[in-house]
């Protein structure tokens, strides 16, 4: 059964769910040459990858499949990123942001995409990488004179470390210096409100507006 109106988008989704590299990569080529919206292509890849993750959670699929699906997503991103860089989605203000996955979390695909989209939107992005401690994130934000701190968390077990960033900013009398935005599967708008983050970003596309709204 088709979920998507566009046949190529459907192929990307089906291929990602089935972890069929050739099918996905050739459909991504078609999508790009047909001029489909790059953010839509990224989003359908994400939706397919989420199905693999959900199956992993239900113990229908296992870690090797999760790794293969993640590798496929990254292969697809290698094709998409140059297109993303070519796009000029600059509208409204931009600023300097440091991005990191918080301590314990190595899921960096979403953070990489976010960084690429923000760059295309004119932001200066310092990507600090994954598994970053709160203290180091704040130190780098100071060093780069950032306006924003973006924290990505896909693991519920790592969430306390996101909260730790807010706490340490308060302890160091820096809370007003940086706007803190959080995203990733483990984060919800309610969580952001509870811990006192300035904003929540559902995906890379909407993050641009969310961040600009904070500036
Ligand atoms: C790929 C993947 C992996 C890969 C990661 C490879 C890599 N280099 O990143 C590998 C195989 C290594 C992996 C490992 C593990 N994983 Co994993 N993984 C996933 C999976 C399937 C997809 C994540 C992904 O890349 N999605 C695609 C990107 C594009 O989407 P995204 O990350 O959501 O990012 C978008 C938005 O969220 C947003 N965003 C993200 N961050 C931010 C930040 C800001 C500031 C903003 C504004 C927006 C924003 O923008 C992004 C682009 O649109 C998820 C399933 C899921 N539902 O997410 C599980 C999942 C996250 N993993 C899970 C688990 C349990 C693990 C392991 C513990 C498994 C194990 N037993 O070893 C390890 C943990 C490793 C660690 N210490 O971090 C669980 C987490 C459960 C939980 N609630 O804590 C999930 C949810 C699977 C599941 N349903 O059980 N994983």
């Amino acid at each position: 059964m088709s979920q998507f109106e566009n046949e190529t988008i459907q192929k990307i989704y089906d291929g990602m769910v089935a972890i069929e590299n050739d099918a996905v990569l050739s459909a991504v080529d078609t999508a790009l040459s047909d001029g489909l919206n790059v953010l839509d292509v990224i989003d359908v890849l994400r939706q397919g990858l989420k199905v693999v993750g959900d199956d992993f959670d239900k113990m229908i699929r296992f870690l090797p499949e999760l790794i293969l699906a993640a590798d496929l997503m990254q292969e697809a991103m290698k094709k998409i990123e140059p297109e993303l860089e070519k796009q000029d989605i600059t509208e409204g203000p931009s600023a300097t942001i440091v991005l990191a996955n918080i301590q314990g979390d190595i899921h960096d695909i979403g953070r990489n995409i976010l960084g690429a989209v923000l760059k295309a939107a004119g932001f200066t992005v310092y990507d600090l990488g994954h598994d970053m401690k709160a203290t180091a994130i704040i130190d780098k934000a100071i060093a780069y004179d950032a306006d924003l701190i973006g924290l990505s968390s896909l693991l519920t077990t790592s969430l306390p470390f996101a909260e730790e960033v807010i706490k340490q900013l308060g302890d160091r009398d820096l809370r007003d210096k940086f706007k803190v935005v959080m995203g990733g599967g483990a984060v919800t708008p309610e969580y952001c409100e509870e811990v006192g983050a300035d904003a929540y970003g559902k995906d890379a596309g909407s993050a641009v507006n969310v961040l600009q709204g904070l500036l």
Side-chain angles (χ1 to χ4, degrees):
M1 195 187 69
S2 291
Q3 286 145 283
F4 301 95
E5 273 175 31
N6 184 288
E7 199 186 324
T8 307
I9 291 284
Q10 184 71 48
K11 277 187 187 157
I12 296 175
Y13 177 82
D14 292 341
M16 184 50 110
V17 171
I19 323 177
E20 282 169 358
N21 288 33
D22 291 348
V24 171
L25 296 175
S26 78
V28 166
D29 282 338
T30 307
L32 297 178
S33 60
D34 287 354
L36 296 189
N37 183 315
V38 186
L39 293 179
D40 289 345
V41 177
I42 294 173
D43 196 55
V44 73
L45 285 162
R46 186 175 66 83
Q47 290 183 48
L49 187 53
K50 184 175 181 307
V51 173
V52 179
D54 291 347
D55 285 353
F56 171 76
D57 196 26
K58 293 180 205 147
M59 290 171 45
I60 299 169
R61 295 204 245 191
F62 300 96
L63 197 55
E65 286 158 295
L66 205 60
I67 294 169
L68 287 176
D71 287 349
L72 175 53
M73 175 88 193
Q74 279 166 326
E75 281 300 307
M77 281 311 298
K78 276 189 208 153
K79 290 180 178 284
I80 295 168
E81 256 164 40
E83 292 303 315
L84 204 53
E85 280 161 22
K86 274 187 227 157
Q87 296 217 334
D88 184 6
I89 52 173
T90 318
E91 275 175 35
S94 61
T96 299
I97 183 165
V98 292
L99 290 179
N101 277 83
I102 53 170
Q103 191 175 340
D105 191 351
I106 63 156
H107 293 88
D108 57 9
I109 298 174
R111 192 196 73 246
N112 288 340
I113 292 172
L114 178 66
V117 172
L118 291 180
K119 275 183 197 161
F123 283 75
T124 303
V125 177
Y126 291 98
D127 189 333
L128 308 181
H130 56 243
D131 192 15
M132 287 291 294
K133 288 197 168 64
T135 316
I137 294 170
I138 296 170
D139 288 347
K140 292 286 184 193
I142 296 168
Y144 293 128
D145 195 20
D147 307 290
L148 301 146
I149 296 177
L151 303 173
S152 181
S153 179
L154 278 84
L155 289 181
T156 39
T157 46
S158 276
L159 277 182
F161 301 116
E163 196 176 340
E164 178 65 18
V165 174
I166 307 261
K167 188 180 166 298
Q168 282 196 23
L169 283 172
D171 292 347
R172 293 169 68 173
D173 213 11
L174 291 166
R175 185 62 193 92
D176 293 337
K177 186 164 168 44
F178 306 105
K179 298 282 184 200
V180 180
V181 57
M182 295 184 182
V187 180
T188 61
E190 293 74 25
Y191 172 81
C192 287
E193 204 176 324
E194 193 187 311
V195 300
D198 296 295
Y200 164 76
K202 184 176 167 291
D203 53 36
S206 64
V208 175
N209 286 334
V210 169
L211 296 185
Q212 285 174 338
L214 289 175
L215 296 172

